[in-house]
Amino acid sequence: MERNSYTQGLQIAFTGDPTEENQEFPFDDSSSTGFSNPNFSQGLQSHHDVRVFGFQQSSLDDRFSQLNLNDIENPTRIVGSDFVPAPTGLFHENSFNGRHVLRSLPSQNMVVDLSPNYSPSTFIEHNVFDFDTNTQRRTPPFERPYNLCDPMRSVNGFGSTMMRPSMHDHHHQPFYSPPPRQFPRENSSYYYIPPFTELKAGDICTVAKDRDRCLALQKKLDTEVLTRGEIDMILMEVKDHLHELMVHRFANYLIQKLFKAINNEQRTQLLLLLIRSHQRFFQVCTNLYGSRTIQKFIEIINIQEQRSILLSALKPIAVTLAKDSNGHHIFEPCLKKFSSEETMHLMDGIIQHCVDIAINKSGCCALQQCLTHANNEVSEHFLVRIVANALFLSEDKYGNYVVQFVLQMGLPWVTSMIIGQLQGSFVNLCFSKYGSNVVEKCMKESEEQLSARVIIEILNDPDYLKVFGHDYGNFVIQSALWASKGHENLGIHNAIHCLIRKHYSFLQSSPFGRRILSAATKCRRS
């Protein structure tokens, strides 16, 4: 048979005639210098349906030099000393036997089985043939929509080359793996949504809970391709399942898009449905996805009636929401979007319980948001209660953050009142993990006169040396060094250095004292 060129004859089909095969691959010629193993020749004559075998007739060394043995998963499938025939029953009688001669390289001819149940045995077969999920067969490279030899294609999609060095070939040929195929997920419709006229009752809720189809429906709402009648249909479907969909991991995004797409009258109706059950509304507000949906509602509503409806529902549960890990996020968009007069009633309950809220993990964050966005009148009510309980909050695990935040606001009268409340307790606070942070903040954020009052009280205490060697107190002394250095009167700064030199041996023997010595050296050099 006449051989085709590399570019024109990538695939040659053979019939089951052993005579024609022997003419093309004369392995049974015992006189050939390339093969002289009689057992091997007999094996080929008795088994014609071989999955992978044969190269052009040449010497044994040439044949082995053309093999790439580094990536063969099952070496016994390659023709060699241990010949393994193909399983019986793989091919149909009196029909095409499923074998093709493939020239993947100009110097190689390989016979590869294209049966649907065949799994490739070598790396070359993995790259040369690809499985087509539509036709359930393996497709040759010239039938595929992409080229395996394209250097810009790779497994990770970044054009990297995967080198496969051969055992005998020193000119290592790079092989390029095809990109991984994306197979459909279970219960996935690939963003397909049937026409709305074909949808039945309850189908929208099912679509909303499916990730792919919900995303497709959101895109339709974003691009405004839906008619007003279709949007009304979606609203009619979801309104009876509103609370359930708002807390769903996928459906909540559809509710957010829908709330933006409907008109103001429909938004008002949806808000009334939302707050109709106070218990279910509270469950939505304290849910991760429900809280995000409520925040989106707050950003979208733009008329007074809608604001009044939402704020009237939030007021009874404001204190509980402030202490919730998800609910406290609702206050920030409320304070940003609504006016001070509108949020006044919402803040009343938080002001009355601000101390209890301040010692809560989520509440301390909500209280800082209220202090940031509230007007001067509301902030003053908060500050008066915080200052009155400054000592109690300073020793609390979460309350100390509220006191530090108030000191950072830079209001002189508030800072003076807090230092007055803590006066006489600074040394005890230095031994506290949380109170020591408040003492440091008092020295850093206050004026020179107030900062000097704090430092003098610590240095004049009989237990001042314990503060120097304490694991929390040593940080207070370091902050006192840096704070007093910026004073116009350096008397306090020099006094601290005198005490450090006086108790140098004690500080040198203490691991926390050595930190103070290091800070004093840096402070003196700067």
Side-chain angles (χ1 to χ4, degrees):
M1 177 182 295
E2 182 181 357
R3 296 182 180 275
N4 296 330
S5 64
Y6 173 64
T7 58
Q8 297 178 354
L10 288 174
Q11 188 178 26
I12 304 176
F14 287 89
T15 62
D17 186 7
T19 305
E20 186 175 353
E21 292 182 1
N22 291 333
Q23 291 177 1
E24 181 65 17
F25 299 98
F27 293 125
D28 57 344
D29 186 6
S30 59
S31 63
S32 171
T33 59
F35 280 91
S36 60
N37 188 346
N39 296 330
F40 181 74
S41 300
Q42 292 176 5
L44 286 178
Q45 292 174 2
S46 59
H47 300 280
H48 299 291
D49 291 332
V50 183
R51 292 204 176 190
V52 179
F53 71 92
F55 294 90
Q56 298 182 16
Q57 183 178 5
S58 59
S59 65
L60 184 61
D61 293 335
D62 293 337
R63 297 174 190 276
F64 275 103
S65 67
Q66 297 173 3
L67 290 175
N68 182 5
L69 303 180
N70 291 341
D71 296 281
I72 298 176
E73 298 176 0
N74 187 5
T76 60
R77 298 175 67 91
I78 302 296
V79 171
S81 59
D82 297 328
F83 174 75
V84 179
T88 59
L90 186 63
F91 305 114
H92 301 285
E93 296 181 1
N94 301 324
S95 64
F96 181 157
N97 59 12
R99 290 182 300 160
H100 293 273
V101 175
L102 172 69
R103 296 189 181 99
S104 60
L105 292 176
S107 61
Q108 295 182 4
N109 289 331
M110 300 177 64
V111 178
V112 183
D113 179 14
L114 295 184
S115 301
N117 298 326
Y118 170 60
S119 117
S121 61
T122 66
F123 175 80
I124 295 177
E125 289 182 66
H126 274 288
N127 286 273
V128 169
F129 286 92
D130 194 15
F131 191 74
D132 190 347
T133 56
N134 296 324
T135 59
Q136 296 297 316
R137 70 183 185 90
R138 300 184 180 277
T139 56
F142 54 84
E143 294 182 8
R144 284 181 240 154
Y146 52 83
N147 184 8
L148 291 178
C149 297
D150 184 359
M152 297 306 293
R153 301 192 70 91
S154 63
V155 176
N156 55 16
F158 290 99
S160 61
T161 303
M162 182 167 55
M163 302 295 294
R164 298 283 183 171
S166 174
M167 181 183 298
H168 301 279
D169 186 8
H170 296 288
H171 303 286
H172 299 157
Q173 297 291 337
F175 289 87
Y176 301 93
S177 294
R181 281 188 175 273
Q182 298 294 333
F183 292 97
R185 298 188 305 109
E186 291 187 4
N187 302 325
S188 173
S189 300
Y190 270 95
Y191 297 90
Y192 172 72
I193 299 177
F196 284 86
T197 55
E198 300 178 7
L199 293 176
K200 301 177 183 178
D203 285 352
I204 294 296
C205 295
T206 305
V207 169
K209 294 179 181 180
D210 181 80
R211 186 189 69 177
D212 296 335
R213 291 187 290 174
C214 180
L215 184 59
L217 193 54
Q218 292 175 48
K219 289 184 177 180
K220 289 180 180 294
L221 289 170
D222 279 338
T223 55
E224 299 180 354
V225 298
L226 300 180
T227 63
R228 179 54 55 184
E230 292 173 338
I231 295 176
D232 294 343
M233 177 185 173
I234 297 175
L235 180 62
M236 292 295 294
E237 286 282 332
V238 304
K239 69 177 184 180
D240 294 332
H241 307 275
L242 182 62
H243 300 88
E244 176 188 356
L245 297 177
M246 289 180 69
V247 299
H248 192 271
R249 58 181 302 189
F250 301 135
N252 75 91
Y253 298 106
L254 177 63
I255 300 299
Q256 297 178 34
K257 300 289 185 182
L258 179 62
F259 194 79
K260 184 178 180 180
I262 59 180
N263 55 40
N264 282 326
E265 183 180 356
Q266 292 171 329
R267 288 173 190 165
T268 304
Q269 296 176 359
L270 203 63
L271 288 174
L272 292 174
L273 289 172
L274 176 62
I275 68 171
R276 183 172 56 182
S277 173
H278 297 287
Q279 181 179 0
R280 301 193 70 179
F281 176 70
F282 175 74
Q283 292 174 352
V284 170
C285 293
T286 55
N287 179 270
L288 174 63
Y289 305 109
S291 175
R292 294 175 181 174
T293 309
I294 297 294
Q295 295 174 55
K296 192 67 176 180
F297 284 7
I298 294 172
E299 295 176 3
I300 294 174
I301 58 178
N302 52 12
I303 61 175
Q304 181 64 35
E305 182 183 5
Q306 297 170 3
R307 296 174 182 175
S308 301
I309 292 172
L310 190 58
L311 290 173
S312 63
L314 290 173
K315 180 181 178 180
I317 58 176
V319 177
T320 310
L321 291 180
K323 298 180 181 181
D324 186 78
S325 59
N326 297 316
H328 79 274
H329 294 289
I330 297 176
F331 288 96
E332 184 174 4
C334 279
L335 296 170
K336 287 182 178 180
K337 181 74 175 181
F338 304 151
S339 63
S340 302
E341 292 76 14
E342 292 172 336
T343 58
M344 178 67 70
H345 299 291
L346 184 64
M347 294 290 104
D348 287 343
I350 299 178
I351 292 173
Q352 294 177 6
H353 300 85
C354 68
V355 177
D356 294 334
I357 295 174
I359 60 177
N360 180 268
K361 182 178 180 179
S362 300
C364 69
C365 299
L367 202 57
Q368 294 177 45
Q369 293 174 1
C370 293
L371 289 170
T372 301
H373 300 288
N375 59 8
N376 295 334
E377 183 180 357
V378 175
S379 296
E380 187 174 350
H381 290 293
F382 279 114
L383 293 174
V384 169
R385 293 178 179 271
I386 293 171
V387 168
N389 299 272
L391 181 58
F392 169 73
L393 295 176
S394 298
E395 296 175 327
D396 186 74
K397 183 178 181 179
Y398 302 112
N400 74 92
Y401 293 108
V402 177
V403 179
Q404 293 182 59
F405 182 82
V406 171
L407 290 170
Q408 284 181 341
M409 293 176 67
L411 301 175
W413 67 274
V414 176
T415 306
S416 177
M417 291 181 66
I418 290 177
I419 291 177
Q421 288 287 329
L422 301 180
Q423 189 172 0
S425 304
F426 285 114
V427 175
N428 293 330
L429 291 174
C430 290
F431 300 137
S432 171
K433 178 179 180 180
Y434 311 110
S436 60
N437 294 324
V438 177
V439 177
E440 291 183 58
K441 193 66 69 173
C442 287
M443 292 186 294
K444 294 177 181 178
E445 301 295 337
S446 61
E447 298 177 353
E448 180 178 342
Q449 183 180 0
L450 295 175
S451 178
R453 284 172 54 185
V454 177
I455 298 173
I456 291 172
E457 179 179 333
I458 296 173
L459 297 180
N460 290 337
D461 192 272
D463 295 331
Y464 74 90
L465 197 57
K466 294 182 180 179
V467 178
F468 278 71
H470 195 267
D471 50 351
Y472 300 130
N474 75 89
F475 293 106
V476 177
I477 301 301
Q478 293 179 48
S479 297
L481 278 168
W482 292 102
S484 60
K485 185 179 181 179
H487 295 175
E488 294 181 2
N489 185 2
L490 297 178
I492 297 177
H493 184 73
N494 295 331
I496 297 174
H497 278 284
C498 290
L499 291 175
I500 291 174
R501 287 193 295 269
K502 180 180 178 180
H503 302 284
Y504 180 83
S505 59
F506 168 75
L507 297 175
Q508 187 66 29
S509 62
S510 171
F512 306 111
R514 287 195 290 270
R515 295 178 181 177
I516 296 177
L517 294 176
S518 176
T521 304
K522 294 178 181 179
C523 187
R524 195 165 49 245
R525 290 176 179 176
S526 61

